[in-house]
Amino acid sequence: MAHPAAVSIWVFAFSLYLGVCECYFSIPLKIYPGKYNFSSDVDLSPLRRVALTSDGNGLSLASDPSGTVNFLDMVNNLQGDSGRGYYIEMSIGTPGQKVNILVDTGSSNFAVAAAPHPFITHYFDTALSSTYQSNGRTVAVRYTQGNWEGQLGIDHVSIPKGPNGTVTINIAAILSSNGFFLPGINWQGILGMAYPMLARPDSSVEPFFNSVVQQLGIPDIFSLQMCGAGLSASSAVDPAGGSLVMGGVEPTLYRGSVWYTPIIEEWYYQVEVLKLEVGEQNLNLDCREYNMDKAIVDSGTTLLRLPVNVFNAVVEAITHSSLIQDFSSGFWDGTKLACWMKGETPWRFFPKLSIYLRATNTSQSFRITILPQLYIQPITDVDGTLDCFRFGVSASANGLVIGATVMEGFYVVFDRAQQRLGFALSTCAVSGGAALSEIAGPFSAADVAADCSAGTVKEPLMWVISYTLMAVCGLILIILLLLLVLPCRRRDRFGEITDESSLVRHRIK
């Protein structure tokens, strides 16, 4: 009969619809509201400060060939740490209102609190700015942790320790939020540094850095140093936590060479991971496993996040190579801390973690390595007798995310002009005189697939697929209703609809 067949088609289509529609726009942002103490090994107080200028060629240089231009005025312009996020002071509106803004390379909206909230000390009052203009559009962004809603507008923005000049920027004034602002943080907004494709409500909202490049004429490149690596908890006031250099690269912030990997898609900063090693043990997974969904570099994500299969393989490899037996499973899944007697450091018990990235010469790769001090992370003291640590790696349903756990070991160059991402050893990723990170290469990439990111589907495309299936499902539903109502309304002599013709029994079955 035609009716059971139609019902089967509807069930199949509706199942597809439900599966796809569970997808939502997700920007990884996971801030642990702990408290840390950190310091930078870079003492730049006696160094000369100079104004930022462009080299005129859009090159990825910190200075022109004569060495007369540098970016020391932007050094140490960040505060914070991986647990609470890294933030920069900005001035918004006329007259300027000072706010701290979280630097997030995993999103594209510039958003600031525009209403009181229990966890923030102050906010941007749009009514006090003579230059603020609302465009009447609402915007909502949902992150892996937390979400906010607000209204779009424009206003003047300057950065005291950033590029010289004032820029007119798209601003989302946050009016309500849930789980976005957390206890113990010292920032009042978020600075999305990714590409327009991630901007909400759509890509017509020009991101902050795009506006800076266009209006100030600086090269389309920025670089980031995050200096909270492997440092203990403290209630001390935050010292400088790193540097955001806009327009170039500052040589005093890194050691050795910068190794570059291509940005394979301009939405997130998506890269191609070829393999992972625990100690010297290759996980021997298909490289597509590492790039499942996507592999991105995101300063707004606290941990190194791995696809579930990769995460399980890493935990198994660490367990086998670690000197600690019968380790609690709660430590690996983030529900428990591991504690040692005060003064006993656990790092000697754990192996190094290495990530291989495809080089700009696509037949080669290079390796970035973090020591246990970066992923076995100190959290707090217990009664002054115990030092406790958390596992700085977690499982992810939204792809591989190279977050602060890894980024704190490196000076990361976001060279958008040449569509590449650079890694160099950070001058502040040092503990007790020993480096906490390593870079090596080049290595042959002949043993991996030519395209390890094949098969990944971008979220905007998933939205298109979702809406298309919704339309198809709606059309099928209309047809089914017609099939159920028109042919089946066979009446008996008294005009009653019989049980045989109603299909109720068949649908209940």
Side-chain angles (χ1 to χ4, degrees):
M1 291 176 61
H3 297 83
V7 171
S8 299
I9 293 172
W10 179 82
V11 170
F12 174 72
F14 191 63
S15 300
L16 284 176
Y17 162 70
L18 286 177
V20 173
C21 294
E22 287 182 357
C23 298
Y24 56 85
F25 182 75
S26 168
I27 303 173
L29 178 69
K30 186 172 179 63
I31 305 291
Y32 182 90
K35 295 186 177 181
Y36 305 88
N37 179 33
F38 49 88
S39 62
S40 171
D41 292 334
V42 184
D43 181 11
L44 296 171
S45 55
L47 298 178
R48 178 171 57 93
R49 311 292 187 186
V50 297
L52 169 66
T53 60
S54 169
D55 64 6
N57 298 315
L59 300 177
S60 305
L61 302 175
S63 60
D64 65 14
S66 64
T68 59
V69 178
N70 60 51
F71 302 112
L72 293 180
D73 53 337
M74 301 187 205
V75 170
N76 287 341
N77 60 1
L78 297 182
Q79 291 184 301
D81 53 53
S82 63
R84 291 164 295 180
Y86 290 86
Y87 54 88
I88 188 169
E89 183 184 71
M90 306 179 79
S91 177
I92 307 176
T94 308
Q97 301 177 43
K98 296 289 182 66
V99 288
N100 293 329
I101 305 295
L102 178 76
V103 177
D104 179 27
T105 63
S107 66
S108 298
N109 283 86
F110 177 48
V112 60
H117 188 280
F119 299 147
I120 60 175
T121 57
H122 59 286
Y123 61 93
F124 172 54
D125 191 338
T126 58
L128 298 181
S129 174
S130 62
T131 49
Y132 176 78
Q133 299 177 36
S134 172
N135 64 16
R137 299 177 68 189
T138 59
V139 58
V141 176
R142 181 177 183 178
Y143 302 86
T144 300
Q145 176 175 304
N147 61 82
W148 54 259
E149 296 182 5
Q151 189 171 60
L152 286 175
I154 59 172
D155 208 339
H156 299 330
V157 175
S158 62
I159 305 176
K161 293 184 178 181
N164 290 337
T166 298
V167 184
T168 301
I169 298 293
N170 288 306
I171 298 175
I174 299 175
L175 302 176
S176 63
S177 64
N178 181 29
F180 180 69
F181 298 111
L182 299 173
I185 63 168
N186 192 31
W187 45 265
Q188 297 82 42
I190 185 168
L191 175 59
M193 297 288 286
Y195 291 99
M197 186 181 290
L198 293 186
R200 290 297 178 261
D202 55 61
S203 59
S204 68
V205 179
E206 185 175 69
F208 171 86
F209 193 65
N210 291 63
S211 299
V212 171
V213 169
Q214 181 178 350
Q215 296 178 40
L216 297 184
I218 66 173
D220 193 7
I221 174 176
F222 66 90
S223 48
L224 189 58
Q225 183 192 53
M226 301 155 68
C227 292
L231 299 168
S232 302
S234 172
S235 59
V237 177
D238 289 344
S243 305
L244 172 62
V245 177
M246 300 185 197
V249 177
E250 172 49 52
T252 63
L253 301 180
Y254 68 92
R255 295 179 289 109
S257 301
V258 180
W259 293 77
Y260 286 97
T261 184
I263 297 173
I264 63 175
E265 292 288 347
E266 293 181 337
W267 57 323
Y268 296 97
Y269 292 100
Q270 184 178 352
V271 296
E272 191 176 3
V273 175
L274 303 190
K275 64 180 177 179
L276 264 68
E277 288 180 347
V278 175
E280 297 182 356
Q281 176 187 347
N282 185 352
L283 295 185
N284 288 320
L285 298 176
D286 187 310
C287 67
R288 293 175 182 83
E289 293 266 12
Y290 304 122
N291 300 276
M292 187 69 66
D293 189 52
K294 57 186 174 291
I296 65 173
V297 178
D298 177 17
S299 65
T301 293
T302 300
L303 307 179
L304 168 61
R305 306 189 71 220
L306 303 174
V308 175
N309 289 346
V310 180
F311 175 78
N312 291 337
V314 166
V315 169
E316 182 179 1
I318 293 177
T319 302
H320 288 163
S321 61
S322 173
L323 299 178
I324 301 175
Q325 301 298 321
D326 301 324
F327 216 82
S328 169
S329 61
F331 176 71
W332 307 117
D333 63 25
T335 59
K336 293 182 180 179
L337 299 177
C339 299
W340 282 262
M341 294 301 297
K342 196 169 185 63
E344 291 186 15
T345 57
W347 299 309
R348 67 184 185 275
F349 300 125
F350 294 91
K352 302 175 182 179
L353 297 183
S354 297
I355 300 173
Y356 286 74
L357 298 170
R358 192 179 296 279
T360 49
N361 177 347
T362 56
S363 65
Q364 298 179 335
S365 68
F366 65 93
R367 180 181 67 212
I368 59 175
T369 299
I370 58 172
L371 272 63
Q373 287 90 328
L374 290 178
Y375 73 89
I376 304 298
Q377 300 169 342
I379 293 297
T380 186
D381 299 335
V382 179
D383 297 329
T385 61
L386 296 177
D387 287 335
C388 295
F389 301 79
R390 71 171 178 188
F391 188 42
V393 185
S394 69
S396 167
N398 301 109
L400 186 149
V401 184
I402 297 175
T405 291
V406 177
M407 293 180 70
E408 286 179 338
F410 303 93
Y411 183 59
V412 185
V413 180
F414 296 79
D415 188 350
R416 295 151 50 111
Q418 300 190 49
Q419 201 172 343
R420 60 184 186 172
L421 215 61
F423 290 83
L425 296 176
S426 172
T427 54
C428 67
V430 178
S431 178
L436 302 180
S437 57
E438 302 170 354
I439 294 184
F443 304 101
S444 172
D447 59 335
V448 297
D451 184 3
C452 294
S453 62
T456 61
V457 181
K458 297 190 289 292
E459 289 174 17
L461 179 59
M462 291 300 294
W463 278 104
V464 172
I465 295 173
S466 177
Y467 284 125
T468 301
L469 283 178
M470 288 172 63
V472 172
C473 291
L475 180 61
I476 293 175
L477 185 58
I478 292 173
I479 294 173
L480 285 173
L481 289 175
L482 292 175
L483 289 173
L484 291 173
V485 174
L486 295 180
C488 300
R489 294 181 62 84
R490 295 184 304 171
R491 301 173 183 272
D492 64 11
R493 74 181 71 181
F494 301 106
E496 298 289 335
I497 299 177
T498 67
D499 286 342
E500 312 305 303
S501 63
S502 69
L503 294 183
V504 171
R505 290 188 304 170
H506 301 291
R507 287 188 281 118
I508 290 177
K509 289 180 180 178

